[in-house]
Amino acid sequence: MVIIMDATTAARRPLLTRDKSFYKTVVRLMTAIIFQNLISYSVNMADNIMLGMYSQNALSGAATVNQIQFMVQQLTLAVGDSIVVIGGQYWGKKKSAEIRLLTFYALAIGIIFAAGVFIWTCFFPAGVLSIFTENADYIAEGAKYLKLICFTYPLYIISTILLSSLRSVETVHLALKVSLVSLLVNIGINYLLIFGKLGFPELGIFGAAVGTLVSRILELVIILFYIIFIDKKLKLFCLNGIKYSKSLLFDFLRVLWPSALSNFLWSVATPIQTSVLGHLEDDAIAANSVATTIYQYVKIIAIGEASASAVIIGKTIGENPDDDTIIKDYSRTLQILYIIFGIILGFALFFLRIPFLSLYDLSDNALRIADGMLIVLSFAMVGMSYQMPASVGIVKGGGDVKFIMYMNMISTWGIVMPLTFISAYVLHMPAVFIVAVLNSDQVFKCLPVAIHCNRYKWIKRIAK
Protein backbone atom coordinates (compact mmCIF):
# COMPACT_ATOMS: atom_id res chain seq x y z
CA MET A 1 0.00 0.00 0.00
CA VAL A 2 2.69 2.45 1.05
CA ILE A 3 4.99 1.44 -1.82
CA ILE A 4 2.28 1.99 -4.46
CA MET A 5 1.25 5.37 -3.15
CA ASP A 6 4.81 6.64 -2.81
CA ALA A 7 6.68 4.80 -5.55
CA THR A 8 8.80 7.75 -6.66
CA THR A 9 10.04 8.55 -3.18
CA ALA A 10 10.57 4.88 -2.32
CA ALA A 11 12.78 4.48 -5.42
CA ARG A 12 15.11 7.17 -4.15
CA ARG A 13 14.93 6.58 -0.42
CA PRO A 14 15.09 3.43 1.74
CA LEU A 15 11.70 1.97 2.59
CA LEU A 16 12.56 2.20 6.30
CA THR A 17 14.54 5.08 7.74
CA ARG A 18 18.05 4.22 8.91
CA ASP A 19 18.02 6.90 11.59
CA LYS A 20 18.70 4.97 14.81
CA SER A 21 17.64 7.90 16.98
CA PHE A 22 14.19 7.71 15.40
CA TYR A 23 13.66 4.13 16.55
CA LYS A 24 14.95 4.92 20.04
CA THR A 25 12.50 7.81 20.30
CA VAL A 26 9.62 5.67 19.02
CA VAL A 27 10.31 2.92 21.56
CA ARG A 28 10.79 5.37 24.43
CA LEU A 29 7.63 7.38 23.78
CA MET A 30 5.45 4.46 22.77
CA THR A 31 6.42 2.28 25.73
CA ALA A 32 5.71 5.01 28.28
CA ILE A 33 2.39 6.02 26.69
CA ILE A 34 1.16 2.44 26.26
CA PHE A 35 1.85 1.52 29.89
CA GLN A 36 0.28 4.78 31.08
CA ASN A 37 -2.86 4.03 29.05
CA LEU A 38 -2.97 0.46 30.33
CA ILE A 39 -2.82 1.66 33.91
CA SER A 40 -5.44 4.37 33.31
CA TYR A 41 -7.78 1.81 31.76
CA SER A 42 -7.14 -0.51 34.69
CA VAL A 43 -8.35 2.21 37.07
CA ASN A 44 -11.77 2.13 35.42
CA MET A 45 -11.70 -1.65 35.33
CA ALA A 46 -10.93 -1.81 39.05
CA ASP A 47 -13.92 0.43 39.80
CA ASN A 48 -16.21 -1.73 37.66
CA ILE A 49 -15.01 -5.01 39.15
CA MET A 50 -15.22 -3.85 42.77
CA LEU A 51 -18.61 -2.18 42.34
CA GLY A 52 -19.83 -5.25 40.47
CA MET A 53 -18.86 -7.32 43.52
CA TYR A 54 -20.84 -4.93 45.73
CA SER A 55 -24.15 -4.63 43.84
CA GLN A 56 -25.54 -4.52 40.32
CA ASN A 57 -27.34 -1.21 40.94
CA ALA A 58 -24.09 0.39 42.13
CA LEU A 59 -22.26 -0.87 39.05
CA SER A 60 -24.98 0.35 36.69
CA GLY A 61 -25.19 3.73 38.45
CA ALA A 62 -21.44 4.25 38.10
CA ALA A 63 -21.58 3.09 34.46
CA THR A 64 -24.22 5.73 33.76
CA VAL A 65 -22.04 8.45 35.30
CA ASN A 66 -19.06 7.16 33.30
CA GLN A 67 -20.88 8.12 30.11
CA ILE A 68 -20.58 11.73 31.26
CA GLN A 69 -16.91 11.12 32.02
CA PHE A 70 -16.44 9.72 28.52
CA MET A 71 -17.82 12.88 26.91
CA VAL A 72 -15.70 15.10 29.18
CA GLN A 73 -12.69 12.95 28.38
CA GLN A 74 -13.16 13.23 24.62
CA LEU A 75 -13.50 17.02 24.65
CA THR A 76 -10.55 17.38 27.02
CA LEU A 77 -8.40 15.15 24.81
CA ALA A 78 -9.24 17.44 21.88
CA VAL A 79 -7.70 20.34 23.80
CA GLY A 80 -4.69 18.24 24.79
CA ASP A 81 -4.15 16.89 21.28
CA SER A 82 -4.26 20.45 19.89
CA ILE A 83 -1.43 21.39 22.24
CA VAL A 84 0.61 18.44 21.00
CA VAL A 85 -0.03 19.30 17.33
CA ILE A 86 1.17 22.91 17.64
CA GLY A 87 3.47 22.57 20.64
CA GLY A 88 5.39 19.71 19.04
CA GLN A 89 6.32 21.93 16.10
CA TYR A 90 7.48 24.73 18.41
CA TRP A 91 9.46 22.18 20.40
CA GLY A 92 11.19 21.17 17.18
CA LYS A 93 12.16 24.84 16.80
CA LYS A 94 13.26 24.93 20.47
CA LYS A 95 10.75 27.68 21.24
CA SER A 96 9.39 26.85 24.69
CA ALA A 97 7.91 30.31 25.34
CA GLU A 98 5.27 29.73 22.67
CA ILE A 99 4.39 26.37 24.22
CA ARG A 100 3.94 28.01 27.62
CA LEU A 101 1.62 30.61 26.14
CA LEU A 102 -0.23 27.87 24.28
CA THR A 103 -0.67 26.02 27.57
CA PHE A 104 -2.15 29.13 29.22
CA TYR A 105 -4.67 29.46 26.37
CA ALA A 106 -5.59 25.80 26.71
CA LEU A 107 -5.96 26.09 30.49
CA ALA A 108 -8.24 29.12 30.10
CA ILE A 109 -10.49 27.20 27.71
CA GLY A 110 -10.31 24.10 29.90
CA ILE A 111 -11.27 26.00 33.06
CA ILE A 112 -14.31 27.55 31.35
CA PHE A 113 -15.33 24.10 30.12
CA ALA A 114 -14.71 22.59 33.58
CA ALA A 115 -16.87 25.24 35.24
CA GLY A 116 -19.74 24.50 32.88
CA VAL A 117 -19.52 20.74 33.42
CA PHE A 118 -19.26 21.17 37.19
CA ILE A 119 -22.34 23.40 37.42
CA TRP A 120 -24.32 21.09 35.12
CA THR A 121 -23.51 17.89 37.04
CA CYS A 122 -23.43 19.35 40.55
CA PHE A 123 -26.75 21.18 40.55
CA PHE A 124 -28.76 18.98 38.17
CA PRO A 125 -27.51 15.40 38.79
CA ALA A 126 -30.85 13.60 38.33
CA GLY A 127 -31.64 15.54 35.17
CA VAL A 128 -28.24 14.77 33.70
CA LEU A 129 -28.45 11.06 34.50
CA SER A 130 -31.99 10.79 33.11
CA ILE A 131 -30.50 11.56 29.68
CA PHE A 132 -28.67 8.24 29.76
CA THR A 133 -31.12 5.96 31.61
CA GLU A 134 -34.75 5.80 32.73
CA ASN A 135 -34.12 3.30 35.54
CA ALA A 136 -34.91 5.06 38.85
CA ASP A 137 -32.59 2.77 40.85
CA TYR A 138 -29.65 3.48 38.54
CA ILE A 139 -30.34 7.22 38.71
CA ALA A 140 -30.48 7.11 42.52
CA GLU A 141 -27.16 5.25 42.76
CA GLY A 142 -25.60 7.40 40.05
CA ALA A 143 -26.65 10.59 41.89
CA LYS A 144 -24.75 9.41 44.99
CA TYR A 145 -21.69 8.79 42.83
CA LEU A 146 -22.01 12.05 40.91
CA LYS A 147 -22.23 14.05 44.15
CA LEU A 148 -18.45 13.73 44.50
CA ILE A 149 -17.44 12.81 40.96
CA CYS A 150 -18.53 16.26 39.74
CA PHE A 151 -15.54 17.69 41.64
CA THR A 152 -13.16 15.40 39.73
CA TYR A 153 -13.99 16.86 36.31
CA PRO A 154 -12.09 20.18 36.78
CA LEU A 155 -9.15 18.28 38.29
CA TYR A 156 -9.07 15.83 35.38
CA ILE A 157 -9.31 18.58 32.76
CA ILE A 158 -6.45 20.63 34.23
CA SER A 159 -4.23 17.56 34.76
CA THR A 160 -4.81 16.30 31.21
CA ILE A 161 -3.96 19.69 29.68
CA LEU A 162 -0.75 19.94 31.71
CA LEU A 163 0.29 16.39 30.81
CA SER A 164 -0.38 17.13 27.12
CA SER A 165 1.90 20.17 27.33
CA LEU A 166 4.61 18.02 28.83
CA ARG A 167 4.06 15.38 26.13
CA SER A 168 4.58 18.03 23.44
CA VAL A 169 8.13 18.48 24.77
CA GLU A 170 8.65 14.68 24.94
CA THR A 171 8.14 14.35 28.70
CA VAL A 172 6.02 11.23 28.93
CA HIS A 173 7.38 9.36 31.95
CA LEU A 174 5.47 11.55 34.43
CA ALA A 175 2.07 10.47 33.10
CA LEU A 176 3.04 6.83 33.61
CA LYS A 177 4.07 7.42 37.23
CA VAL A 178 1.00 9.52 37.97
CA SER A 179 -1.30 6.83 36.56
CA LEU A 180 0.40 4.13 38.62
CA VAL A 181 0.02 6.11 41.86
CA SER A 182 -3.62 6.86 40.96
CA LEU A 183 -4.34 3.17 40.36
CA LEU A 184 -2.88 2.04 43.69
CA VAL A 185 -4.56 4.79 45.71
CA ASN A 186 -7.91 4.27 43.99
CA ILE A 187 -7.90 0.49 44.54
CA GLY A 188 -6.87 0.92 48.18
CA ILE A 189 -9.58 3.45 49.03
CA ASN A 190 -12.19 1.47 47.08
CA TYR A 191 -11.40 -1.65 49.06
CA LEU A 192 -11.68 0.20 52.37
CA LEU A 193 -14.76 2.32 51.69
CA ILE A 194 -16.88 0.31 49.25
CA PHE A 195 -16.92 -2.79 51.46
CA GLY A 196 -16.14 -1.19 54.84
CA LYS A 197 -12.88 -3.02 55.58
CA LEU A 198 -10.44 -2.49 58.49
CA GLY A 199 -12.95 -0.53 60.51
CA PHE A 200 -13.86 1.99 57.80
CA PRO A 201 -17.55 2.66 57.06
CA GLU A 202 -19.25 0.74 54.26
CA LEU A 203 -20.14 3.49 51.76
CA GLY A 204 -20.77 1.48 48.61
CA ILE A 205 -20.80 3.58 45.46
CA PHE A 206 -20.06 6.76 47.44
CA GLY A 207 -16.85 5.11 48.66
CA ALA A 208 -15.81 4.54 45.05
CA ALA A 209 -16.40 8.24 44.38
CA VAL A 210 -14.16 9.13 47.35
CA GLY A 211 -11.40 6.96 45.90
CA THR A 212 -11.66 8.62 42.49
CA LEU A 213 -11.69 12.13 43.97
CA VAL A 214 -8.64 11.51 46.16
CA SER A 215 -6.82 10.00 43.19
CA ARG A 216 -7.58 13.02 40.98
CA ILE A 217 -6.39 15.44 43.69
CA LEU A 218 -3.18 13.47 44.13
CA GLU A 219 -2.61 13.39 40.36
CA LEU A 220 -2.83 17.18 40.05
CA VAL A 221 -0.60 17.74 43.09
CA ILE A 222 2.12 15.48 41.66
CA ILE A 223 1.92 17.14 38.23
CA LEU A 224 2.14 20.65 39.70
CA PHE A 225 5.06 19.63 41.92
CA TYR A 226 6.92 18.26 38.91
CA ILE A 227 6.25 21.33 36.78
CA ILE A 228 7.27 23.78 39.51
CA PHE A 229 10.31 22.05 40.99
CA ILE A 230 11.64 19.46 38.52
CA ASP A 231 10.74 20.25 34.91
CA LYS A 232 13.55 21.81 32.85
CA LYS A 233 11.91 21.76 29.40
CA LEU A 234 8.50 23.42 29.57
CA LYS A 235 9.27 25.83 32.45
CA LEU A 236 5.60 26.71 32.63
CA PHE A 237 5.94 29.36 35.33
CA CYS A 238 8.86 31.10 33.66
CA LEU A 239 7.27 34.24 32.22
CA ASN A 240 10.31 35.41 30.25
CA GLY A 241 9.38 35.94 26.61
CA ILE A 242 5.66 35.48 27.34
CA LYS A 243 3.34 38.02 25.76
CA TYR A 244 -0.14 37.79 24.31
CA SER A 245 -0.17 36.55 20.72
CA LYS A 246 -3.40 36.86 18.80
CA SER A 247 -2.04 34.78 15.91
CA LEU A 248 -1.03 31.91 18.25
CA LEU A 249 -4.48 31.93 19.83
CA PHE A 250 -6.15 31.79 16.42
CA ASP A 251 -3.79 28.97 15.36
CA PHE A 252 -4.80 27.04 18.48
CA LEU A 253 -8.51 27.60 17.90
CA ARG A 254 -8.19 26.58 14.23
CA VAL A 255 -6.69 23.27 15.32
CA LEU A 256 -9.01 22.84 18.29
CA TRP A 257 -12.49 23.24 16.79
CA PRO A 258 -12.29 20.36 14.24
CA SER A 259 -10.81 18.07 16.91
CA ALA A 260 -13.44 19.05 19.46
CA LEU A 261 -16.30 18.58 17.00
CA SER A 262 -14.96 15.21 15.83
CA ASN A 263 -14.46 13.95 19.40
CA PHE A 264 -17.85 15.26 20.51
CA LEU A 265 -19.65 13.46 17.70
CA TRP A 266 -17.73 10.31 18.53
CA SER A 267 -18.67 10.60 22.22
CA VAL A 268 -22.33 10.89 21.18
CA ALA A 269 -22.14 7.99 18.71
CA THR A 270 -20.56 5.56 21.18
CA PRO A 271 -23.45 5.39 23.70
CA ILE A 272 -25.92 5.22 20.80
CA GLN A 273 -24.05 2.22 19.42
CA THR A 274 -24.01 0.67 22.89
CA SER A 275 -27.76 1.22 23.22
CA VAL A 276 -28.33 -0.69 19.97
CA LEU A 277 -26.55 -3.70 21.43
CA GLY A 278 -28.46 -3.13 24.68
CA HIS A 279 -31.70 -4.05 22.90
CA LEU A 280 -30.41 -7.51 22.04
CA GLU A 281 -30.82 -10.68 24.10
CA ASP A 282 -29.14 -10.85 27.51
CA ASP A 283 -26.49 -13.32 26.32
CA ALA A 284 -25.51 -10.97 23.49
CA ILE A 285 -25.18 -8.03 25.88
CA ALA A 286 -22.95 -10.02 28.24
CA ALA A 287 -20.89 -11.36 25.33
CA ASN A 288 -20.37 -7.87 23.91
CA SER A 289 -19.28 -6.54 27.31
CA VAL A 290 -16.63 -9.27 27.64
CA ALA A 291 -15.43 -9.04 24.02
CA THR A 292 -15.21 -5.25 24.14
CA THR A 293 -13.21 -5.31 27.38
CA ILE A 294 -10.61 -7.65 25.86
CA TYR A 295 -10.52 -5.68 22.60
CA GLN A 296 -10.02 -2.35 24.42
CA TYR A 297 -6.99 -3.68 26.26
CA VAL A 298 -5.30 -4.66 22.99
CA LYS A 299 -6.42 -1.42 21.32
CA ILE A 300 -4.40 0.56 23.88
CA ILE A 301 -1.22 -0.39 22.00
CA ALA A 302 -2.48 1.29 18.82
CA ILE A 303 -3.49 4.37 20.82
CA GLY A 304 0.05 4.52 22.19
CA GLU A 305 1.41 4.34 18.64
CA ALA A 306 -0.77 7.27 17.63
CA SER A 307 0.21 9.46 20.59
CA ALA A 308 3.92 8.79 20.14
CA SER A 309 3.71 9.41 16.37
CA ALA A 310 2.00 12.78 16.86
CA VAL A 311 4.86 13.99 19.04
CA ILE A 312 7.53 12.70 16.63
CA ILE A 313 5.89 14.09 13.48
CA GLY A 314 5.18 17.49 15.04
CA LYS A 315 8.72 17.87 16.32
CA THR A 316 10.21 16.75 13.00
CA ILE A 317 8.15 19.33 11.08
CA GLY A 318 9.36 22.03 13.46
CA GLU A 319 12.99 20.93 13.05
CA ASN A 320 12.77 20.91 9.24
CA PRO A 321 11.06 24.14 8.10
CA ASP A 322 12.13 23.84 4.46
CA ASP A 323 12.66 20.14 3.75
CA ASP A 324 10.03 17.38 3.82
CA THR A 325 12.40 14.48 3.12
CA ILE A 326 12.90 13.34 6.71
CA ILE A 327 9.20 13.84 7.48
CA LYS A 328 8.28 11.57 4.57
CA ASP A 329 10.88 8.97 5.65
CA TYR A 330 9.46 8.89 9.16
CA SER A 331 5.87 8.75 7.90
CA ARG A 332 6.62 5.83 5.59
CA THR A 333 8.48 3.94 8.33
CA LEU A 334 5.72 4.52 10.87
CA GLN A 335 3.07 3.22 8.47
CA ILE A 336 5.01 0.00 7.93
CA LEU A 337 5.39 -0.41 11.68
CA TYR A 338 1.63 0.10 12.11
CA ILE A 339 0.89 -2.69 9.62
CA ILE A 340 3.35 -5.07 11.30
CA PHE A 341 1.99 -4.32 14.77
CA GLY A 342 -1.59 -4.61 13.49
CA ILE A 343 -1.01 -8.09 12.07
CA ILE A 344 0.67 -9.20 15.31
CA LEU A 345 -2.15 -7.77 17.45
CA GLY A 346 -4.81 -9.29 15.21
CA PHE A 347 -3.26 -12.75 15.45
CA ALA A 348 -2.75 -12.33 19.22
CA LEU A 349 -6.40 -11.43 19.75
CA PHE A 350 -7.54 -14.32 17.54
CA PHE A 351 -5.46 -17.04 19.21
CA LEU A 352 -5.80 -15.76 22.79
CA ARG A 353 -9.57 -15.33 22.66
CA ILE A 354 -10.28 -18.82 24.04
CA PRO A 355 -7.96 -18.46 27.10
CA PHE A 356 -9.42 -14.98 27.73
CA LEU A 357 -13.01 -16.22 27.53
CA SER A 358 -12.26 -19.10 29.91
CA LEU A 359 -11.73 -16.50 32.66
CA TYR A 360 -15.43 -15.51 32.55
CA ASP A 361 -18.44 -17.36 33.91
CA LEU A 362 -20.76 -17.14 30.90
CA SER A 363 -23.48 -19.39 29.52
CA ASP A 364 -22.63 -21.60 26.55
CA ASN A 365 -24.63 -19.36 24.22
CA ALA A 366 -22.92 -16.19 25.52
CA LEU A 367 -19.51 -17.83 25.10
CA ARG A 368 -20.35 -18.75 21.51
CA ILE A 369 -21.47 -15.20 20.72
CA ALA A 370 -18.41 -13.67 22.44
CA ASP A 371 -16.12 -15.99 20.48
CA GLY A 372 -17.71 -14.85 17.20
CA MET A 373 -17.39 -11.21 18.22
CA LEU A 374 -13.70 -11.61 19.05
CA ILE A 375 -13.04 -13.25 15.67
CA VAL A 376 -14.63 -10.20 14.01
CA LEU A 377 -12.65 -7.83 16.25
CA SER A 378 -9.41 -9.66 15.39
CA PHE A 379 -9.81 -8.59 11.77
CA ALA A 380 -10.94 -5.10 12.81
CA MET A 381 -7.80 -4.81 14.96
CA VAL A 382 -5.54 -5.12 11.91
CA GLY A 383 -7.30 -2.27 10.11
CA MET A 384 -7.63 -0.12 13.22
CA SER A 385 -3.94 -0.54 14.07
CA TYR A 386 -3.08 1.06 10.73
CA GLN A 387 -5.73 3.68 10.07
CA MET A 388 -6.05 5.12 13.58
CA PRO A 389 -2.33 5.80 14.25
CA ALA A 390 -1.84 6.93 10.65
CA SER A 391 -4.74 9.41 10.79
CA VAL A 392 -4.35 10.61 14.38
CA GLY A 393 -0.58 10.23 14.75
CA ILE A 394 0.71 11.23 11.31
CA VAL A 395 -2.00 13.26 9.57
CA LYS A 396 -3.37 15.05 12.62
CA GLY A 397 0.09 15.22 14.21
CA GLY A 398 1.27 16.92 11.03
CA GLY A 399 -1.32 19.68 11.45
CA ASP A 400 -4.15 18.46 9.20
CA VAL A 401 -7.04 18.20 11.66
CA LYS A 402 -9.95 18.74 9.26
CA PHE A 403 -9.30 15.53 7.32
CA ILE A 404 -9.92 13.49 10.47
CA MET A 405 -13.10 15.41 11.22
CA TYR A 406 -14.57 14.92 7.74
CA MET A 407 -13.56 11.27 7.55
CA ASN A 408 -15.05 10.41 10.95
CA MET A 409 -18.27 12.32 10.28
CA ILE A 410 -18.81 10.56 6.95
CA SER A 411 -17.78 7.09 8.12
CA THR A 412 -19.58 7.14 11.48
CA TRP A 413 -22.73 9.13 10.79
CA GLY A 414 -23.04 8.58 7.05
CA ILE A 415 -22.20 4.88 6.82
CA VAL A 416 -21.79 2.94 10.08
CA MET A 417 -24.73 4.34 12.08
CA PRO A 418 -27.36 3.95 9.33
CA LEU A 419 -26.17 0.43 8.49
CA THR A 420 -26.20 -0.50 12.18
CA PHE A 421 -29.78 0.64 12.69
CA ILE A 422 -30.90 -1.17 9.52
CA SER A 423 -29.10 -4.36 10.59
CA ALA A 424 -30.51 -4.27 14.12
CA TYR A 425 -34.04 -2.93 13.76
CA VAL A 426 -35.02 -3.70 10.16
CA LEU A 427 -33.18 -6.89 9.23
CA HIS A 428 -32.87 -8.17 12.84
CA MET A 429 -29.42 -9.58 12.17
CA PRO A 430 -27.54 -11.59 14.83
CA ALA A 431 -25.32 -9.84 17.35
CA VAL A 432 -22.04 -10.91 15.72
CA PHE A 433 -23.10 -9.37 12.39
CA ILE A 434 -24.07 -6.10 14.12
CA VAL A 435 -20.67 -5.94 15.82
CA ALA A 436 -19.06 -6.48 12.41
CA VAL A 437 -21.04 -3.54 11.00
CA LEU A 438 -20.17 -1.33 13.98
CA ASN A 439 -16.45 -1.97 13.45
CA SER A 440 -16.45 -2.03 9.64
CA ASP A 441 -15.05 1.51 9.49
CA GLN A 442 -11.84 0.25 11.07
CA VAL A 443 -11.20 -1.55 7.79
CA PHE A 444 -12.69 0.63 5.04
CA LYS A 445 -11.08 3.81 6.43
CA CYS A 446 -7.66 2.32 5.67
CA LEU A 447 -7.92 3.24 1.97
CA PRO A 448 -8.66 6.99 2.29
CA VAL A 449 -6.14 7.27 5.13
CA ALA A 450 -3.41 5.56 3.09
CA ILE A 451 -4.09 7.76 0.06
CA HIS A 452 -4.12 10.99 2.05
CA CYS A 453 -1.17 9.99 4.22
CA ASN A 454 1.09 9.30 1.24
CA ARG A 455 0.22 12.44 -0.68
CA TYR A 456 1.82 14.44 2.16
CA LYS A 457 -0.63 17.31 1.92
CA TRP A 458 -1.10 16.93 5.67
CA ILE A 459 2.26 18.59 6.34
CA LYS A 460 1.15 21.94 7.78
CA ARG A 461 3.78 24.23 9.26
CA ILE A 462 1.71 25.93 11.94
CA ALA A 463 4.58 27.10 14.15
CA LYS A 464 5.71 30.56 13.12
Side-chain angles (χ1 to χ4, degrees), residues 1 25 46 68 78 101 114 124 182 197 210 268 290 334 365 378 462:
M1 185 189 306
T25 302
I68 303 171
L101 184 57
F124 311 100
S182 178
K197 300 294 184 179
V210 173
V268 172
V290 171
L334 285 170
N365 185 45
S378 298
I462 304 173

Side-chain angles (χ1 to χ4, degrees), residues 179-236:
S179 296
L180 182 58
V181 171
S182 178
L183 174 64
L184 296 176
V185 170
N186 195 41
I187 290 177
I189 295 177
N190 281 359
Y191 175 76
L192 296 175
L193 296 183
I194 291 177
F195 305 102
K197 300 294 184 179
L198 302 180
F200 284 86
E202 181 181 331
L203 301 178
I205 193 171
F206 191 77
V210 173
T212 302
L213 178 59
V214 173
S215 299
R216 293 299 185 204
I217 293 173
L218 188 59
E219 285 176 6
L220 184 56
V221 169
I222 294 173
I223 294 167
L224 289 174
F225 180 86
Y226 179 87
I227 289 176
I228 296 171
F229 298 106
I230 301 176
D231 171 59
K232 301 299 181 184
K233 294 179 180 179
L234 185 60
K235 300 178 182 177
L236 185 61

Side-chain angles (χ1 to χ4, degrees), residues 84-95 99 168 170 309-328 330 394 397-399 458-464:
V84 173
V85 170
I86 306 176
Q89 293 193 21
Y90 278 111
W91 179 240
K93 294 178 177 293
K94 301 301 180 185
K95 292 185 176 182
I99 304 175
S168 71
E170 299 182 83
S309 300
V311 176
I312 294 170
I313 291 296
K315 180 185 177 184
T316 306
I317 291 175
E319 289 176 333
N320 299 273
D322 303 312
D323 186 6
D324 294 344
T325 303
I326 297 178
I327 302 169
K328 293 178 180 180
Y330 287 180
I394 296 177
W458 46 266
I459 302 175
K460 311 285 185 183
R461 289 179 169 84
I462 304 173
K464 304 297 189 293

Side-chain angles (χ1 to χ4, degrees), residues 94-136:
K94 301 301 180 185
K95 292 185 176 182
S96 58
E98 284 79 0
I99 304 175
R100 292 196 292 273
L101 184 57
L102 190 66
T103 304
F104 292 141
Y105 290 154
L107 285 172
I109 294 172
I111 290 171
I112 294 172
F113 172 53
V117 173
F118 175 78
I119 293 172
W120 185 46
T121 54
C122 181
F123 294 100
F124 311 100
V128 173
L129 294 172
S130 64
I131 297 174
F132 302 98
T133 182
E134 297 177 356
N135 189 301

Side-chain angles (χ1 to χ4, degrees), residues 62-376:
T64 303
V65 174
N66 285 340
Q67 295 187 60
I68 303 171
Q69 170 66 27
F70 180 69
M71 297 182 72
V72 172
Q73 180 185 47
Q74 291 303 310
L75 291 173
T76 305
L77 290 176
V79 179
D81 289 346
S82 300
I83 296 175
V84 173
V85 170
I86 306 176
Q89 293 193 21
Y90 278 111
W91 179 240
K93 294 178 177 293
K94 301 301 180 185
K95 292 185 176 182
S96 58
E98 284 79 0
I99 304 175
R100 292 196 292 273
L101 184 57
L102 190 66
T103 304
F104 292 141
Y105 290 154
L107 285 172
I109 294 172
I111 290 171
I112 294 172
F113 172 53
V117 173
F118 175 78
I119 293 172
W120 185 46
T121 54
C122 181
F123 294 100
F124 311 100
V128 173
L129 294 172
S130 64
I131 297 174
F132 302 98
T133 182
E134 297 177 356
N135 189 301
D137 292 333
Y138 297 170
I139 292 176
E141 287 293 309
K144 296 178 188 176
Y145 192 57
L146 194 55
K147 186 176 181 180
L148 276 186
I149 290 297
C150 64
F151 290 93
T152 70
Y153 297 141
L155 300 172
Y156 168 78
I157 291 169
I158 294 172
S159 296
T160 301
I161 290 173
L162 293 175
L163 288 174
S164 297
S165 298
L166 290 170
R167 192 166 77 244
S168 71
V169 297
E170 299 182 83
T171 300
V172 294
H173 61 87
L174 179 65
L176 172 60
K177 296 174 182 176
V178 167
S179 296
L180 182 58
V181 171
S182 178
L183 174 64
L184 296 176
V185 170
N186 195 41
I187 290 177
I189 295 177
N190 281 359
Y191 175 76
L192 296 175
L193 296 183
I194 291 177
F195 305 102
K197 300 294 184 179
L198 302 180
F200 284 86
E202 181 181 331
L203 301 178
I205 193 171
F206 191 77
V210 173
T212 302
L213 178 59
V214 173
S215 299
R216 293 299 185 204
I217 293 173
L218 188 59
E219 285 176 6
L220 184 56
V221 169
I222 294 173
I223 294 167
L224 289 174
F225 180 86
Y226 179 87
I227 289 176
I228 296 171
F229 298 106
I230 301 176
D231 171 59
K232 301 299 181 184
K233 294 179 180 179
L234 185 60
K235 300 178 182 177
L236 185 61
F237 295 100
C238 175
L239 301 181
N240 292 335
I242 294 291
K243 60 181 181 179
Y244 172 74
S245 171
K246 186 177 181 179
S247 64
L248 182 60
L249 176 60
F250 284 171
D251 286 342
F252 179 64
L253 293 176
R254 276 195 291 266
V255 172
L256 174 60
W257 79 260
S259 297
L261 179 59
S262 179
N263 284 18
F264 173 74
L265 292 174
W266 171 245
S267 70
V268 172
T270 299
I272 293 176
Q273 293 174 349
T274 303
S275 69
V276 173
L277 292 169
H279 286 82
L280 301 176
E281 58 179 309
D282 291 340
D283 283 346
I285 297 172
N288 178 67
S289 177
V290 171
T292 302
T293 299
I294 298 171
Y295 177 72
Q296 290 295 337
Y297 260 112
V298 182
K299 182 180 177 180
I300 286 172
I301 297 176
I303 296 174
E305 293 172 2
S307 299
S309 300
V311 176
I312 294 170
I313 291 296
K315 180 185 177 184
T316 306
I317 291 175
E319 289 176 333
N320 299 273
D322 303 312
D323 186 6
D324 294 344
T325 303
I326 297 178
I327 302 169
K328 293 178 180 180
D329 285 350
Y330 287 180
S331 169
R332 190 168 57 251
T333 302
L334 285 170
Q335 289 178 74
I336 293 173
L337 293 178
Y338 299 154
I339 295 171
I340 294 173
F341 288 149
I343 293 172
I344 293 173
L345 293 176
F347 272 108
L349 188 59
F350 181 84
F351 288 109
L352 293 176
R353 72 187 194 280
I354 301 300
F356 279 142
L357 290 176
S358 67
L359 300 175
Y360 292 87
D361 183 17
L362 298 175
S363 67
D364 291 341
N365 185 45
L367 279 172
R368 179 184 58 79
I369 296 173
D371 183 60
M373 289 179 175
L374 284 173
I375 292 174
V376 169

